[in-house]
Amino acid sequence: MPTYYDTEIKSRLMLGTAQYPSPAILAQAFERSGAGIATVSVRREAGGERAGQAFWDMIGDLGVHVLPNTAGCHSVREAVTTAQMARELFDTNWIKLEVIGHADTLQPDPFGLVEAARILTDDGFQVFPYCTEDLVLCERLVEAGCRVLMPWGAPIGTGLGLNNIYGLRSLRAHFPDLPLVIDAGLGLPSQAAHAMELGYDAVLLNTAVSKAGDPAAMAQGFARALEAGRLGYEADPMEPRDMAAPSTPVLGRAFT
């Protein structure tokens, strides 16, 4: 199972907590999927005795690790300030770092992302950066102190799946020992299984589950797909080839 900053998580599934039809359905999605990490937007929920206390109590009752995020931040200063708020509210050094650079695609700002990652790492944070599959960007993030990378499969909320298989495969090969999590763009369990077959360690989902007709069932479907895909990866699958090869031997075949 994946280990993030020396903490082992007994699930390959992370779930976001936004846009569910009800808190009860959100809880069912976590229960049926066995997801081990819940991401929480600091902008949307408050802590302590403020308005978000009921939500925080519910998240605490799930018994999962909480990964606050800086969703919606468009500058380094905004992301760093939000991360500092998150540490105070949720009592964790973990932070999912988002620095959005493009309003339409929600693509991360690579320059701001590296700068913010370096600032937060120096301040004692354990950073989970939402990034693209760009190798140079990912190298800079690792140099900045990130021990986890979270490349997108496709733009947030699109459900398009894994848009750049070559890039994601190259990233896995370049960082064979670093935890890699597909973050954003998945819409179907089969896409999550494909991520596992590429050797990825986990996936983070929100829209694909929360906007499904039956979020709890979809969350469970993704969990099973992750297990199947990982088993396939670990089983050392056959290499694809252009020519057919008979599965039944031709020796001993009747002939005239």
Side-chain angles (χ1 to χ4, degrees):
M1 286 299 175
T3 298
Y4 310 111
Y5 293 101
D6 301 321
T7 298
E8 184 180 28
I9 304 297
K10 298 188 180 302
S11 172
R12 298 190 183 277
L13 179 60
M14 304 180 182
L15 282 181
T17 55
Q19 302 181 333
Y20 286 81
S22 71
I25 291 176
L26 187 157
Q28 291 169 12
F30 274 86
E31 180 180 0
R32 288 182 61 176
S33 68
I37 292 176
T39 61
V40 181
S41 171
V42 180
R43 287 171 163 266
R44 190 172 54 252
E45 303 298 339
E49 297 302 320
R50 292 184 284 275
Q53 183 62 47
F55 176 85
W56 173 237
D57 288 343
M58 182 195 65
I59 296 299
D61 291 341
L62 295 176
V64 300
H65 290 264
V66 174
L67 177 60
N69 69 42
T70 64
C73 291
H74 288 75
S75 71
V76 172
R77 181 176 181 181
E78 192 179 13
V80 169
T81 299
T82 302
Q84 292 167 340
M85 291 170 55
R87 180 160 60 183
E88 180 179 345
L89 292 171
F90 300 115
D91 192 27
T92 179
N93 286 324
W94 280 15
I95 190 71
K96 178 175 177 263
L97 178 61
E98 297 185 25
V99 183
I100 301 301
H102 192 273
D104 291 334
T105 64
L106 301 180
Q107 180 170 330
D109 172 0
F111 309 103
L113 187 63
V114 172
E115 182 181 350
R118 184 174 292 110
I119 292 170
L120 292 172
T121 299
D122 289 345
D123 193 26
F125 282 91
Q126 296 173 327
V127 179
F128 295 66
Y130 160 64
C131 58
T132 66
E133 71 281 5
D134 184 271
L135 281 176
V136 177
L137 168 60
C138 290
E139 283 184 335
R140 298 295 182 268
L141 288 168
V142 172
E143 290 170 2
C146 298
R147 292 166 55 192
V148 180
L149 295 173
M150 301 182 74
W152 65 356
I156 294 172
T158 61
L160 293 172
L162 306 180
N163 274 355
N164 184 0
I165 301 299
Y166 168 79
L168 292 170
R169 184 182 290 115
S170 298
L171 190 65
R172 177 73 284 177
H174 194 71
F175 296 104
D177 301 318
L178 198 71
L180 299 180
V181 181
I182 293 294
D183 176 11
L186 301 186
L188 294 170
S190 58
Q191 296 164 351
H194 194 183
M196 293 296 100
E197 291 166 356
L198 292 177
Y200 277 69
D201 297 282
V203 302
L204 170 58
L205 308 167
N206 197 144
T207 308
V209 172
S210 65
K211 292 300 185 180
D214 186 340
M218 183 63 78
Q220 184 178 7
F222 268 102
R224 292 181 177 179
L226 289 172
E227 182 179 358
R230 186 68 189 188
L231 285 171
Y233 171 74
E234 293 176 347
D236 190 18
M238 63 174 284
E239 292 291 331
R241 50 193 169 196
D242 293 331
M243 299 296 293
S247 57
T248 302
V250 296
L251 292 176
R253 183 184 60 183
F255 65 92
T256 58

